[in-house]
Amino acid sequence: MINKPTKKVLNGLKKKGYEVYLVGGCVRDLILKRIPKDFDIITSAELKEVMRAFSRCAIVGKRFPICHVHLGDIIVEVSSFSTSGRKFGRDFSYEFERPSGCDEKDYIRWRNCMQRDFTINGLMFDPYAKMVYDYIGGIEDIRKAKVRTVISANTSFQDDCARILRALRIAARLGFRFSKETSHFIKHLSSSILKLDRGRLLMEMNYMLAYGSAEASLRLLWKFGLLEILLPLQASYFVQHGFRRRDKRSNMLLSLFSNLDKLLAPDRPCHSSLCFAGALLT
């Protein structure tokens, strides 16, 4: 289920003696036997060493640097343990006790997982040892079909309000529910997403609507009071038709996106303009 470009990057770094792992949502999706939207690689190599390993490779991002490895028309993103801490903002791992019996390699993996958003995204997979590393209960939450923040939801969402939208997107795509704490703070802090710039909001909405889970995403946005913030005209449509927050019924807008979802997949999205045109039709 791992695509060829990703395998090529994994093999290229492994042959040079570096540790390589798949990390994040792609590991969760592989466990669930679902097609990942993309693959994230993390390695013990420095980014400059990744650059030397591949002929077409560039370091992108000043604040959160990663490597883009170009293989034909495909770009494979590679991060390094040495710089990945910057990507997640504040490093909360220092606020938690280091696990007992944790050697240096475990400590490096644990610290990286502690900086991620949700437990089900905090898994690492070594494809050569065929081993999944889980330090924060991600496997158990996959079994329970639950979205739960790694640290307290209040702290997590205040540190990065975009995680609220990410939580809804993940739950919609997988059909998962939220932990009680996560659900509470999604509602309580929903208005904080207005801090995000318009470009980021458009990107998050595109992820929700264009990859095969638009209907479920709209239902969750409506349930948690975010539809009024992101798509006020569509929220007004729901109100006019007497649609309740936990309503199981459908309406014209939901039916439209339900039919679109049947044609799409995480690795086969539609162009964002089609989604937003569909939303405006109502």
Side-chain angles (χ1 to χ4, degrees):
M1 293 176 69
I2 302 171
N3 63 31
K4 289 181 179 179
T6 302
K7 285 181 182 177
K8 189 169 184 177
V9 174
L10 289 167
N11 290 335
L13 291 169
K14 184 70 173 177
K15 286 175 183 177
K16 290 187 175 293
Y18 301 116
E19 292 177 50
V20 283
Y21 305 90
L22 291 175
V23 68
C26 65
V27 182
R28 173 202 71 213
D29 289 347
L30 290 171
I31 290 170
L32 290 167
K33 295 183 170 26
R34 299 178 68 101
I35 299 169
K37 181 171 69 68
D38 48 34
F39 292 88
D40 291 326
I41 295 174
I42 192 165
T43 179
S44 60
E46 299 284 341
L47 293 183
K48 289 182 179 178
E49 292 170 324
V50 177
M51 284 273 292
R52 288 194 287 268
F54 301 98
S55 57
R56 295 181 61 212
C57 183
I59 297 175
V60 299
K62 292 183 179 179
R63 189 179 175 195
F64 310 129
I66 59 171
C67 271
H68 277 181
V69 181
H70 296 259
L71 297 168
D73 296 331
I74 303 296
I75 295 175
V76 179
E77 292 190 356
V78 182
S79 60
S80 168
F81 280 116
S82 64
T83 58
S84 63
R86 303 181 211 170
K87 183 178 180 182
F88 303 100
R90 186 174 158 201
D91 184 355
F92 291 97
S93 63
Y94 289 111
E95 299 178 19
F96 293 84
E97 185 178 350
R98 177 173 174 165
S100 59
C102 185
D103 63 22
E104 192 57 32
K105 288 184 178 180
D106 266 320
Y107 176 65
I108 292 169
R109 288 189 291 257
W110 170 76
R111 268 194 62 190
N112 185 272
C113 291
M114 284 298 298
Q115 293 170 53
R116 294 184 178 271
D117 47 12
F118 306 105
T119 57
I120 58 175
N121 287 348
L123 303 167
M124 282 190 190
F125 174 52
D126 180 339
Y128 301 97
K130 293 183 172 62
M131 182 178 292
V132 174
Y133 293 90
D134 176 19
Y135 302 94
I136 51 180
I139 295 290
E140 183 63 22
D141 283 340
I142 287 175
R143 289 196 184 106
K144 292 179 178 178
K146 184 182 293 185
V147 178
R148 178 169 61 91
T149 54
V150 172
I151 57 175
S152 78
N154 185 25
T155 304
S156 182
F157 294 149
Q158 289 196 58
D159 185 57
D160 181 2
C161 60
R163 288 174 178 166
I164 292 172
L165 297 176
R166 213 173 303 140
L168 294 174
R169 168 162 47 94
I170 291 168
R173 182 175 168 237
L174 301 180
F176 280 21
R177 66 187 187 281
F178 299 109
S179 69
K180 288 182 180 179
E181 184 200 32
T182 302
S183 177
H184 172 78
F185 284 105
I186 288 174
K187 290 178 182 176
H188 185 67
L189 299 172
S190 60
S191 62
S192 67
I193 66 167
L194 291 170
K195 297 175 186 175
L196 297 171
D197 63 52
R198 182 172 293 185
R200 181 62 186 275
L201 288 173
L202 284 170
M203 182 186 77
E204 292 293 343
M205 286 303 297
N206 182 49
Y207 283 151
M208 284 188 181
L209 300 180
Y211 287 81
S213 56
E215 181 196 3
S217 295
L218 287 175
R219 287 184 182 275
L220 285 176
L221 289 170
W222 174 241
K223 177 182 175 180
F224 285 95
L226 285 112
L227 196 64
E228 293 91 326
I229 298 171
L230 295 165
L231 294 171
L233 291 177
Q234 286 67 35
S236 176
Y237 172 82
F238 276 35
V239 171
Q240 288 171 12
H241 287 77
F243 215 68
R244 299 183 181 91
R245 295 292 176 182
R246 295 176 181 271
D247 217 321
K248 301 295 184 184
R249 295 175 299 152
S250 191
N251 58 35
M252 187 172 71
L253 179 63
L254 292 172
S255 295
L256 184 69
F257 278 107
S258 175
N259 290 328
L260 181 64
D261 287 341
K262 293 170 185 175
L263 305 174
L264 305 175
D267 63 338
R268 197 178 65 249
C270 72
H271 193 275
S272 58
S273 60
L274 181 59
C275 288
F276 289 108
L280 288 170
L281 282 175
T282 57

